[in-house]
Amino acid sequence: MSTTFQLDTSTSRATPTPKPRKRLTVPRIRDHKKDGTTKEPLVMLTAYTARQAQLLDTHCDMLLVGDSLGQVIYGLDSTLPVTPEMMIAHGAAVVRGSYHSVVVVDMPFGSYEGSKEQAFDTASRIMAETGCAAVKLEGGEAMAETVAFLSNRGMPVMGHVGLTPQAVNVLGGYAARGRSQHEHEKIIADGKALEEAGAFSVVVEGVIEPIAISLTQSLEVPVIGIGASAQCDGQVLVTEDMLGMFERVPRFVKRYENIAEVIDKTVATYAEEVRARSFPTAEQTYQPKS
């Protein structure tokens, strides 16, 4: 029987155990939207580690290994310094830690814009070394030829329009896009160009809601919103943001928990017990056999 691998949750060690292959596929994600409508929105979150993937996998349709790891994991100021090697290391971990979700890996800045051949080299390496099902790249009409080049060579591509963080220097910041008629028309045109090029799905980020709704209604492939609209075909958030790991988050993020506070209190208790010599106790130490 064909198998994939899931980490054993009964131990803190990364012991792979075979599981029946139940993973969703790119065609199933694309076909989730029928006749221009989606009955049940797709669920997508970011993941960067095997354990995180384990915890999210059951609840998600897709896991995105986002270049946001540059800020979330490595403390960088933006996504621009992220390298293919970083994406591959974390992408492989997420694939190992999941067995249900479609895993999509971001192509980092500078690794695909130069030419469609450069994009092919990067995408083929990412897919071969991680085992992911698809790659994601930013840009609309300007990247359509590249998307078609990859798609025609067996590499599923998720597009990304609207607020594109890799273009932050051109955009002048992270403000919402689409407040002018020109921007509105450009975002719709970008999405249509990606669909025609073969993208199986398109992320729309940080746009005013009417544009997100219009784009969702205009495309036959699923439109995944982030800072967009509940009317999109699915939603994605940075997991650390929605869990409350950071004090400051974008306006479009809903904090479902305050994990940072839980960690702070837990570590404070640990530190107090260590300093009081109340940890470890006999239960956590090895005693001589009588």
Side-chain angles (χ1 to χ4, degrees):
M1 177 171 57
S2 180
T3 62
T4 187
F5 289 94
Q6 181 193 30
L7 300 185
D8 182 0
T9 58
S10 65
T11 174
S12 62
R13 303 297 182 259
T15 306
T17 56
K19 297 284 290 187
R21 184 174 292 279
K22 300 177 182 177
R23 197 181 292 276
L24 293 172
T25 64
V26 166
R28 285 190 63 183
I29 296 297
R30 184 183 59 233
D31 295 342
H32 196 79
K33 187 174 185 177
K34 297 183 183 296
D35 300 321
T37 61
T38 298
K39 290 184 179 180
E40 183 177 67
L42 293 160
V43 178
M44 188 177 192
L45 284 170
T46 60
Y48 314 113
T49 67
R51 181 55 178 157
Q52 187 179 38
Q54 281 182 299
L55 296 172
L56 304 179
D57 188 48
T58 301
H59 308 285
C60 293
D61 301 298
M62 292 182 283
L63 293 176
L64 173 64
V65 186
D67 58 2
S68 49
L69 63 81
Q71 293 146 305
V72 173
I73 302 295
Y74 292 96
L76 299 171
D77 291 336
S78 72
T79 63
L80 302 186
V82 173
T83 65
E85 289 73 22
M86 293 161 70
M87 299 307 305
I88 288 169
H90 290 275
V94 170
V95 171
R96 286 194 296 269
S98 61
Y99 69 92
H100 169 260
S101 303
V102 168
V103 177
V104 182
V105 177
D106 263 339
M107 295 175 67
F109 175 75
S111 71
Y112 62 92
E113 299 93 334
S115 67
K116 56 185 184 293
E117 289 80 14
Q118 181 199 29
F120 175 86
D121 290 342
T122 301
S124 60
R125 183 184 171 200
I126 287 174
M127 294 190 71
E129 295 185 33
T130 66
C132 71
V135 294
K136 183 172 78 65
L137 55 77
E138 295 183 9
E141 291 179 298
M143 297 308 302
E145 183 180 355
T146 295
V147 171
F149 190 83
L150 297 180
S151 298
N152 291 335
R153 285 158 180 77
M155 299 178 185
V157 179
M158 174 179 281
H160 186 151
V161 300
L163 173 59
T164 48
Q166 291 180 8
V168 61
N169 291 323
V170 173
L171 297 176
Y174 297 100
R177 316 306 298 176
R179 297 194 181 279
S180 69
Q181 185 61 30
H182 172 72
E183 275 195 343
H184 186 145
E185 294 172 355
K186 180 67 167 62
I187 292 167
I188 300 299
D190 281 342
K192 289 183 176 179
L194 292 174
E195 178 181 59
E196 291 171 3
F200 75 92
S201 180
V202 175
V203 169
V204 60
E205 178 175 358
V207 301
I208 62 173
E209 187 171 28
I211 293 181
I213 295 173
S214 178
L215 182 65
T216 302
Q217 294 173 344
S218 299
L219 301 189
E220 293 297 319
V221 298
V223 174
I224 310 300
I226 174 169
S229 172
Q231 299 306 308
C232 290
D233 302 301
Q235 301 293 326
V236 61
L237 283 176
V238 172
T239 300
E240 283 77 2
D241 286 345
M242 57 89 72
L243 289 179
M245 287 291 288
F246 300 105
E247 292 181 6
R248 296 182 62 186
V249 295
R251 172 180 173 173
F252 55 74
V253 173
K254 176 180 178 179
R255 283 180 174 170
Y256 286 83
E257 188 52 85
N258 191 344
I259 297 299
E261 183 177 316
V262 173
I263 293 173
D264 181 69
K265 289 181 178 179
T266 303
V267 175
T269 300
Y270 165 73
E272 180 181 339
E273 291 187 0
V274 168
R275 291 175 179 130
R277 296 190 186 277
S278 60
F279 173 84
T281 67
E283 291 183 358
Q284 291 92 37
T285 56
Y286 298 98
Q287 302 300 321
K289 293 183 179 180
S290 55

